[in-house]
Amino acid sequence: MSAHAGPVHHAEAPKGWIRHYIFSVDHKIIGTQYILLGLSAVTIGMILSLIMRTHLVWPNAHIWGFANGIVSPEDYLRVVTMHGTLMVFFVLTTVPQSGFGNYFLPIQIGAPDMAFPRINMLSFWFTFLAMIVLLSSAFVPGGASISGWTSYAPLSAVGEVAGPGLGMGQTLWVVSIALFCGASLMSALNFLGTTIDLRAKGLSLMRMPLTVWGWFITACLALLAFGVLLAACVLLLLDRLAATSFFIPANLDVSGVLLHHGGGSPLLWQHLFWFFGHPEVYIAILPGMGIISHVLSTFSRKPVFGYKAMVYSLTAIGFLSFTVWGHHMFISGMNPFSALAFSIITLVIGVPSAIKTFNWLGTLWGGRIHFTAAMLFAIGFVSLFVTGGLSGIFLAQPALDLYLHDTYYVIGHFHLIMGVAAIFAMFAATYYWFPKMFGHHMSETLGKVHFWCTFVGVYCIFMPMHYLGYAGDPRRYASIESVNYLIPLHPVHYFISIAAFFTASAQLLFYWNFFWSIKHGKPAERNPWHGTTLEWSVSTPVPHDNFAGHYPTIYRGPYEYSVPGMRDDYVPQDLAPELVAKA
Amino acid sequence: MGSRKSNAGSAAPAVLLAIVILLLVGSTLYFHIAKTWWFPPAITPVGHEIDQQFFLTLVVTGIVFVLAQLALAWMVFKYRDHGQKAHFTRGNHALEVIWTTATLVIFVGLGALATHAWGQVHFGGVEPGALQVEVTGVQFTWTFRYPGPDGKFGKIVPADIDASVGNPLGLDPNDPAGKDDIVVPDLYVPVNQQIELMIRSQDVIHSFFVRELRIKQDAVPGLIVPIHFRVEQTGDYEITCNQLCGLGHYHMHAMMHVLSQADFEQWEKKQEAQNAQ
Amino acid sequence: MPHSTTTDELEIIISGGGPKAPGGGGSGDGGDGSSGGSGSALPQRVYVTGITIGMGAILMFFMALVSAFIVRKGMGNDWRAFEIPRVLWLNTAILLASSGTMIYARRLFKRGDQKGFRHWWAMTTILGLLFLAGQLIAWRQMVASGFYLATNPSSSFFYVLTAAHGAHLLGGIFALIYVGWLRLRKLTIETATEVAALYWHFMDGLWVFLFLLLLLGR
């Protein structure tokens, strides 16, 4: 196929089903593959969370797939670990960046494809393989890992002697994450190369849509963070398989067995992990921030308020995110003086996040708000971001973290700001871009019902978790009966479990809406939302090389809505000046 | 444009959104004021200080929370599409400067105020008369060791660890300093005396947590982390493990008994007598 | 907050910001601008950008290992120094020489001397292979002096750092072979040699850094 001889793209797509849909080098197919991969991961992850909620309040409930139908404490921890790993890596890291970013970055900057299409394909298949390896760990002797998504050493390093799932299952976990690191590095390389070199004529940095900025800064973070996690995984693997002692201290006596290791440092793992792990939090949310700015502007019919402030705050968050990892380790036994430094920098990183929130409110201010499903999710995102962000102010203070660390308060905090907020951004992106991706609209009515149920549902799940945290309920406990002071909290746990089932069932509406609309939805026009950026200039469905050979020139900024003196309330970025109709 | 027409005049989503946000704000305020599920009373001076810092943070963030959510609800309602023209603006430099400075001052100010309580736990020097207790985490129990009458902890030899023969910590039988060490599964401390805990672990990472102390500290193998406090009130308090340590994590539990000075001395005597047998 | 739009601003919105507008993006040069956009050919510099970014990622990977090395050495008193294998000096000289031959090869290429280019390019490749062989000998010497992977943190880091560098260098050797012996289709030979050379010099510099680290910090 000449189309694959190099990155020079011709208008025709490759023939043959396998080359077209499976081993495709087309960024749009790869983006869709990532989204579907993320959709399967989020489905499994959500079912796992329902298992956790069921087990906590009805410990004797029979659940299919577990020995005798009963979830044992180690099963509970397996579920905890798998839920966290799937959600953080294969959903939050994958879908907003590699999924939607892959699909829309080249289109929004006027490029025919990613800079390195074959590396792009390779990174998808690495991700796929990583997920297979991770899931397969549930079926090996000893089962999947029980050490949580953070895999703190030495629990994760000493092997099966410390508990079930820490043998083969833990090894596969490390291998899976190492593969994922490789995939993410290749993907980041592609995003950066594409954004730097393939922008259309006239598309200066300060004319890029905020989505592109979000993906660009995220790729910078991924490039610098995943190499560190990869190094940590290599060292952990050597500790597990080659008897080295990077993370295992001397003279451990685990389950009555004296281990012969040289004297490594468990805190070293935490430092390496969180040096990756904190930027990772922003890897999950920055693309979402870009998407939300984009959607809010479109449906408020207003330019993004403070575009430059948005760009600078994104950059500031990206930079600062590499300097705050220690706030995950306030109670780890690290130097208490450095804890204070990490605390202050962490509070400083709250400032650009607050700037973004103010600017989102500024974008809504004075607007003409259209309540589409996408817009509702974007507004919901702002509300969640405020709530989840403010609870972070507590955790950033080591004196308060002393009490709240590793309680349900932390679970409530990070689910609202990183989990649910990012998921809301994905929903907004889906409802917003679906017409362009599949040529059909999703049902707006179903979408709105989906929003109301989800918005109310997630607050009902995660707000009460803050109260559990106030009462000192520790996270990752397989039972809510084992400590006396947990007994009065039972009603809260019941409420959360019921809210979780309600919210999860509301997602069935989304699945139905998504898959049914691919074929049967209302046919989509080229620019249904009257948007200004390039994805709305290309035809629907998008041609193989995106622009059918007619590459655009950019004449103006990305959010020219309701400009006074114009006939329409939007002026596309690539509309030639002589074609702009004045009122 | 179809969507524009169908949206014009329809206030339903705006009203609904405003109601949901009002409910959120209302219920959040209610549960924080009613304290339905709340911290147990603090029993140390530093605990009271932490509670004050928490309250201050709660008030500040609470005000921001209410204002931001209500502003969102109000804007969504006010600027719903009812046929008006959007107000064109690209932003406002002065506003950006104002809210950046304001958040910076508030956030960093809170952080600076919180440093004192943290210092009380970690920096303040230990008084000479403090009672030292060693806390050891092991899957899935806590063990507490007192130096005994000689005031010295005996040497630990990891190869000697054997809980089945009554030596869960691996005390060296040849070290005389260890002969009188008191090793117990629950923590007993006297009221109104400074206590210094030396927190360590034998296998994986655990975390020592007593709610009423407002203190949590990881027990990291290879490290001995000291923390100190003074309890003002007798009573029985639960100790839990707060760092995932394996399948029995959830039942890694012990008690902290705070006794009057006299009761504590009596308890100590009883333990010493048992050791002497 | 109200903000009025001046006539000047309106002009900018319509006309696209005047003279500084075009060329802000990527496709203004590289000879493809005339043919109507960036789609007709990928600018060659994207490969140079790509390898630069890739080197950034590789550098972070090594920096993580190096900081682990420094932290680990700083704690505890169980660090056992080992004798740096003598052959490492020779290996370092070989790798430095290979950078020299590569610079010479590219100079010949620019002069149009295809045969000389291939000759010196092949020499670079062979020197690279010699370096790898030398690293294996260094490992043998370590084993002979009783330092295995798990013997002590010092030797663990020695093996991890040299193995990670060796693996990355092996990738460079494949690139050299690919550029020297295979017909290139999508990227020009100039770009290919530039990309390979950047990577090779990076690996060379990285090794010198690691060698000094091991020498001073063992």
Side-chain angles (χ1 to χ4, degrees):
Chain A
M1 292 282 328
S2 62
H4 291 285
V8 180
H9 278 251
H10 300 289
E12 73 273 17
K15 313 247 171 355
W17 193 82
I18 295 224
R19 291 303 292 269
H20 194 140
Y21 289 108
I22 307 295
F23 294 103
S24 173
V25 293
D26 180 347
H27 71 101
K28 296 183 288 297
I29 301 287
I30 295 174
T32 314
Q33 287 173 325
Y34 269 119
I35 290 170
L36 293 177
L37 180 93
L39 195 61
S40 27
V42 80
T43 308
I44 302 171
M46 190 173 68
I47 293 172
L48 293 175
S49 65
L50 293 181
I51 294 175
M52 285 187 260
R53 289 314 316 173
T54 309
H55 173 72
L56 284 178
V57 298
W58 300 290
N60 296 319
H62 278 244
I63 297 174
W64 181 84
F66 292 89
N68 305 319
I70 296 296
V71 178
S72 62
E74 57 268 38
D75 285 335
Y76 180 81
L77 293 176
R78 287 187 181 109
V79 171
V80 167
T81 306
M82 192 62 90
H83 168 82
T85 313
L86 278 174
M87 291 300 202
V88 171
F89 290 100
F90 295 92
V91 181
L92 297 178
T93 311
T94 300
V95 178
Q97 178 79 1
S98 309
F100 288 109
N102 237 315
Y103 204 110
F104 286 103
L105 173 80
I107 301 180
Q108 285 192 333
I109 65 170
D113 202 323
M114 282 292 196
F116 310 104
R118 269 182 281 195
I119 293 184
N120 202 16
M121 177 181 83
L122 203 60
S123 45
F124 171 75
W125 286 105
F126 261 65
T127 313
F128 183 81
L129 186 65
M131 188 160 140
I132 296 295
V133 170
L134 179 70
L135 293 176
S136 70
S137 73
F139 303 98
V140 297
S145 162
I146 63 166
S147 63
W149 84 276
T150 51
S151 275
Y152 274 14
L155 185 65
S156 61
V158 293
E160 219 151 20
V161 65
L166 296 171
M168 187 67 156
Q170 180 69 43
T171 303
L172 288 176
W173 186 93
V174 184
V175 170
S176 163
I177 296 308
L179 287 169
F180 190 89
C181 290
S184 297
L185 288 173
M186 288 189 279
S187 169
L189 176 82
N190 235 328
F191 273 73
L192 292 176
T194 309
T195 314
I196 292 170
D197 280 338
L198 299 189
R199 277 173 289 133
K201 199 185 281 183
L203 187 57
S204 60
L205 289 177
M206 282 300 169
R207 286 177 173 180
M208 297 199 306
L210 285 172
T211 42
V212 175
W213 270 108
W215 293 319
F216 181 69
I217 302 289
T218 303
C220 294
L221 298 191
L223 190 85
L224 300 177
F226 274 104
V228 175
L229 182 62
L230 182 60
C233 284
V234 168
L235 299 185
L236 182 58
L237 213 54
L238 288 174
D239 269 5
R240 296 182 53 77
L241 302 176
T244 55
S245 315
F246 295 106
F247 306 126
I248 309 177
N251 297 322
L252 286 195
D253 184 88
V254 185
S255 313
V257 181
L258 191 64
L259 301 180
H260 300 283
H261 276 275
S265 162
L267 291 192
L268 181 59
W269 167 263
Q270 292 182 31
H271 278 295
L272 291 173
F273 184 85
W274 288 116
F275 187 84
F276 147 80
H278 201 79
E280 163 63 27
V281 173
Y282 291 100
I283 289 171
I285 199 70
L286 290 188
M289 289 178 170
I291 289 165
I292 293 310
S293 308
H294 201 74
V295 171
L296 283 179
S297 169
T298 307
F299 294 115
S300 300
R301 312 308 295 165
K302 276 187 67 199
V304 167
F305 195 86
Y307 173 89
K308 280 193 177 163
M310 287 298 213
V311 172
Y312 297 145
S313 54
L314 267 180
T315 317
I317 292 174
F319 177 74
L320 288 173
S321 71
F322 281 102
T323 60
V324 296
W325 79 91
H327 70 218
H328 297 268
M329 298 170 62
F330 286 151
I331 63 152
S332 69
M334 75 170 182
N335 184 327
F337 284 102
S338 44
L340 290 180
F342 280 121
S343 160
I344 298 298
I345 309 172
T346 303
L347 289 160
V348 171
I349 207 175
V351 175
S353 308
I355 294 174
K356 301 203 81 75
T357 311
F358 286 126
N359 281 306
W360 287 322
L361 293 176
T363 306
L364 290 170
W365 183 83
R368 180 187 182 180
I369 300 173
H370 296 191
F371 292 104
T372 57
M375 183 59 166
L376 287 174
F377 275 104
I379 294 169
F381 174 99
V382 176
S383 171
L384 292 163
F385 193 77
V386 168
T387 313
L390 288 174
S391 54
I393 303 296
F394 292 80
L395 295 169
Q397 304 175 28
L400 305 184
D401 187 62
L402 272 174
Y403 186 91
L404 297 171
H405 192 96
D406 273 333
T407 64
Y408 270 81
Y409 190 90
V410 175
I411 307 190
H413 162 69
F414 76 75
H415 272 88
L416 282 183
I417 197 149
M418 156 170 148
V420 182
I423 294 269
F424 267 47
M426 290 179 226
F427 281 138
T430 310
Y431 287 107
Y432 182 75
W433 277 321
F434 191 92
K436 184 55 70 181
M437 295 172 74
F438 298 104
H440 295 270
H441 279 277
M442 288 174 83
S443 156
E444 278 288 312
T445 314
L446 275 182
K448 285 172 190 169
V449 178
H450 172 223
F451 166 75
W452 291 113
C453 296
T454 311
F455 188 54
V456 173
V458 292
Y459 264 129
C460 287
I461 298 172
F462 296 112
M463 276 314 274
M465 289 195 182
H466 296 86
Y467 309 138
L468 294 176
Y470 293 155
D473 194 344
R475 63 192 285 212
R476 293 167 167 173
Y477 266 28
S479 163
I480 54 174
E481 310 274 348
S482 57
V483 178
N484 293 327
Y485 69 68
L486 295 182
I487 307 291
L489 303 175
H490 283 188
V492 189
H493 275 290
Y494 277 97
F495 181 80
I496 293 173
S497 291
I498 291 163
F501 273 97
F502 168 76
T503 314
S505 9
Q507 305 316 307
L508 295 177
L509 292 175
F510 176 76
Y511 288 102
W512 164 261
N513 198 353
F514 187 90
F515 289 107
W516 187 83
S517 302
I518 287 180
K519 271 219 154 53
H520 309 287
K522 196 177 77 172
E525 48 284 49
R526 179 190 285 249
N527 187 1
W529 315 123
H530 291 190
T532 49
T533 41
L534 284 180
E535 75 268 34
W536 305 114
S537 296
V538 302
S539 51
T540 305
V542 185
H544 180 63
D545 72 341
N546 300 341
F547 297 91
H550 303 290
Y551 288 93
T553 305
I554 304 300
Y555 297 97
R556 58 188 68 78
Y559 302 111
E560 298 303 321
Y561 291 106
S562 302
V563 182
M566 300 293 131
R567 190 195 64 196
D568 301 318
D569 72 346
Y570 66 104
V571 187
Q573 279 196 286
D574 62 330
L575 190 65
E578 57 272 24
L579 299 178
V580 177
K582 296 194 184 183
Chain B
M1 181 180 162
S3 62
R4 200 181 307 174
K5 256 183 210 134
S6 66
N7 266 304
S10 160
V15 173
L16 207 48
L17 203 56
I19 289 173
V20 171
I21 290 177
L22 284 174
L23 278 176
L24 167 74
V25 171
S27 70
T28 307
L29 283 178
Y30 172 78
F31 286 119
H32 279 83
I33 292 167
K35 302 186 176 174
T36 321
W37 300 285
W38 206 249
F39 302 77
I43 56 168
T44 60
V46 79
H48 295 304
E49 193 177 337
I50 288 174
D51 283 3
Q52 275 173 18
Q53 177 66 22
F54 177 82
F55 183 71
L56 178 69
T57 312
L58 189 63
V59 169
V60 173
T61 54
I63 292 171
V64 178
F65 173 76
V66 172
L67 289 182
Q69 298 286 1
L70 292 185
L72 182 65
W74 177 75
M75 280 188 201
V76 162
F77 181 74
K78 172 101 198 282
Y79 298 110
R80 70 188 188 277
D81 179 10
H82 45 76
Q84 85 277 32
K85 206 167 173 5
H87 175 79
F88 180 84
T89 171
R90 291 179 190 284
N92 184 312
H93 188 69
L95 270 179
E96 302 282 352
V97 173
I98 290 169
W99 62 45
T100 305
T101 321
T103 42
L104 190 68
V105 169
I106 293 173
F107 287 3
V108 175
L110 277 176
L113 289 175
T115 54
H116 189 258
W118 175 253
Q120 290 294 303
V121 179
H122 281 281
F123 302 147
V126 182
E127 294 163 14
L131 171 72
Q132 278 200 332
V133 186
E134 182 199 69
V135 181
T136 305
V138 65
Q139 289 180 332
F140 301 99
T141 51
W142 293 104
T143 308
F144 303 90
R145 181 159 71 124
Y146 298 76
D150 68 348
K152 276 189 235 155
F153 288 109
K155 219 176 107 195
I156 281 178
V157 179
D160 289 340
I161 294 172
D162 194 346
S164 61
V165 300
N167 193 4
L169 296 176
L171 292 183
D172 184 353
N174 303 321
D175 183 2
K179 294 272 190 241
D180 61 347
D181 285 7
I182 300 169
V183 178
V184 283
D186 283 313
L187 178 61
Y188 293 81
V189 295
V191 73
N192 289 326
Q193 186 185 339
Q194 199 177 38
I195 316 292
E196 187 181 31
L197 299 184
M198 326 276 281
I199 298 178
R200 61 187 285 273
S201 164
Q202 237 172 51
D203 42 31
V204 299
I205 299 179
H206 306 277
S207 192
F208 174 89
F209 180 43
V210 178
R211 297 188 306 160
E212 291 80 359
L213 293 178
R214 302 285 189 270
I215 284 179
K216 186 177 292 161
Q217 178 56 54
D218 278 4
V220 184
L223 294 182
I224 296 173
V225 186
I227 53 169
H228 57 83
F229 54 85
R230 176 200 303 275
V231 187
E232 296 168 323
Q233 200 176 324
T234 57
D236 301 329
Y237 307 99
E238 292 185 280
I239 302 167
T240 55
C241 176
N242 269 46
Q243 189 63 265
L244 179 55
C245 59
L247 67 94
H249 173 50
Y250 68 102
H251 63 61
M252 184 161 167
H253 180 264
M255 293 303 290
M256 180 174 87
H257 304 286
V258 183
L259 309 175
S260 69
Q261 199 72 40
D263 287 352
F264 181 74
E265 275 163 23
Q266 205 178 356
W267 173 82
E268 227 177 5
K269 289 230 166 62
K270 209 177 102 196
Q271 297 299 322
E272 284 160 15
Q274 273 180 6
N275 264 2
Q277 282 168 12
Chain C
M1 201 182 289
H3 185 105
S4 65
T5 310
T6 62
T7 345
D8 290 354
E9 210 175 328
L10 203 59
E11 261 336 286
I12 291 171
I13 295 161
I14 302 171
S15 68
K20 83 179 183 191
S27 63
D29 58 341
D32 48 21
S34 55
S35 57
S38 63
S40 54
L42 206 57
Q44 291 290 311
R45 71 159 184 272
V46 76
Y47 296 102
V48 179
T49 311
I51 197 67
T52 313
I53 298 165
M55 292 188 308
I58 293 170
L59 195 63
M60 279 309 284
F61 173 79
F62 278 95
M63 283 309 112
L65 293 177
V66 166
S67 54
F69 174 92
I70 292 166
V71 169
R72 181 65 190 83
K73 183 166 188 285
M75 55 172 282
N77 45 11
D78 55 343
W79 190 272
R80 270 169 62 196
F82 54 85
E83 194 72 19
I84 279 278
R86 291 250 185 86
V87 69
L88 287 189
W89 290 98
L90 180 63
N91 293 350
T92 309
I94 289 175
L95 201 58
L96 286 172
S98 78
S99 267
T101 56
M102 172 164 270
I103 291 169
Y104 191 59
R106 290 191 63 211
R107 192 168 294 168
L108 291 177
F109 178 82
K110 278 186 190 134
R111 280 191 212 138
D113 180 358
Q114 279 291 329
K115 206 174 148 217
F117 161 70
R118 283 187 188 281
H119 177 79
W120 286 97
W121 193 262
M123 186 64 97
T124 310
T125 316
I126 290 165
L127 286 174
L129 287 166
L130 271 178
F131 171 83
L132 282 186
Q135 294 293 80
L136 289 176
I137 293 170
W139 282 11
R140 300 281 306 175
Q141 291 182 357
M142 283 289 283
V143 167
S145 58
F147 279 95
Y148 294 85
L149 174 62
T151 304
N152 189 265
S154 61
S155 63
S156 300
F157 275 107
F158 175 84
Y159 284 103
V160 167
L161 288 171
T162 48
H165 176 264
H168 283 87
L169 193 100
L170 190 64
I173 289 176
F174 284 129
L176 294 189
I177 294 173
Y178 186 76
V179 172
W181 277 269
L182 292 176
R183 271 173 54 91
L184 296 159
R185 285 175 296 185
K186 61 177 174 178
L187 72 174
T188 63
I189 190 90
E190 287 101 322
T191 312
T193 52
E194 188 182 349
V195 167
L198 270 174
Y199 185 73
W200 194 258
H201 295 318
F202 170 63
M203 277 298 132
D204 193 350
L206 183 64
W207 169 250
V208 173
F209 170 72
L210 294 177
F211 182 52
L212 287 175
L213 182 83
L214 291 168
L215 198 64
L216 303 174
R218 70 185 193 278

